[in-house]
Amino acid sequence: MINRVILVGRLTADPSLRYTPKGVAVCNFTLAVNRPFTNQQGEREADFINVQVWRRPAENAANFLRKGSLAGVDGRLQTRSYEGQNGKVYVTEVIADSVQFLEPKGKDSGEQNNAHRGQNTAYNDPFAGEGAPINISDDDLPF
């Protein structure tokens, strides 16, 4: 049997870090993941998926991710239930084995920090030459 989940999306809020009574770190956050199609109005919808990560990766996620951060999650799907005020409550979430930070540290989503400092942000895009030929000598090739 295989239970594997790989997601890429943006955090909907700052992650929440807490510790168990035995001192084990656990971090929870919600990832907004775009659907690969548009609805009848031509708008792209998203799914909001709860993620839980444990131990050192939990502390890293809490320290380096913020609302709007782009993150990749690799883990497994888990369901659980508990008794709520109005009966049984079912929860489905991703238990992350790893969380990848997919944006440079300090970059706020939707905002170009470098633009505020008057710098050109094109250095981030290695393909910014818009298809112009690249001069590479034969000595630079590995074969």
Side-chain angles (χ1 to χ4, degrees):
M1 293 180 238
I2 298 174
N3 181 356
R4 198 93 217 127
V5 176
I6 300 172
L7 302 169
V8 174
R10 294 197 179 273
L11 274 70
T12 62
D14 288 348
S16 168
L17 178 67
R18 62 183 173 81
Y19 291 87
T20 67
K22 292 187 177 186
V24 179
V26 59
C27 180
N28 292 290
F29 56 88
T30 301
L31 209 58
V33 179
N34 284 339
R35 293 181 178 170
F37 53 86
T38 57
N39 63 18
Q40 291 180 345
Q41 292 76 34
E43 300 166 345
R44 190 164 302 274
E45 295 179 351
D47 292 301
F48 300 91
I49 300 170
N50 295 325
V51 177
Q52 187 175 77
V53 59
W54 290 82
R55 296 176 183 75
R56 185 67 181 165
E59 293 174 325
N60 289 339
N63 288 331
F64 296 106
L65 293 175
R66 295 286 171 258
K67 178 180 179 179
S69 295
L70 185 65
V73 172
D74 179 16
R76 62 186 168 82
L77 201 58
Q78 180 175 292
T79 58
R80 59 185 170 89
S81 64
Y82 62 91
E83 282 298 324
Q85 291 178 342
N86 297 327
K88 200 168 229 179
V89 177
Y90 294 93
V91 178
T92 301
E93 58 199 350
V94 173
I95 306 301
D97 295 327
S98 70
V99 177
Q100 301 296 315
F101 313 129
L102 300 178
E103 291 180 312
K105 184 178 176 183
K107 181 179 183 298
D108 296 333
S109 67
E111 184 178 304
Q112 296 291 333
N113 285 346
N114 292 333
H116 295 300
R117 293 189 294 252
Q119 297 175 351
N120 184 353
T121 59
Y123 72 92
N124 288 333
D125 184 3
F127 304 105
E130 299 181 22
I134 301 172
N135 288 331
I136 299 176
S137 74
D138 289 343
D139 295 334
D140 292 334
L141 298 175
F143 47 88

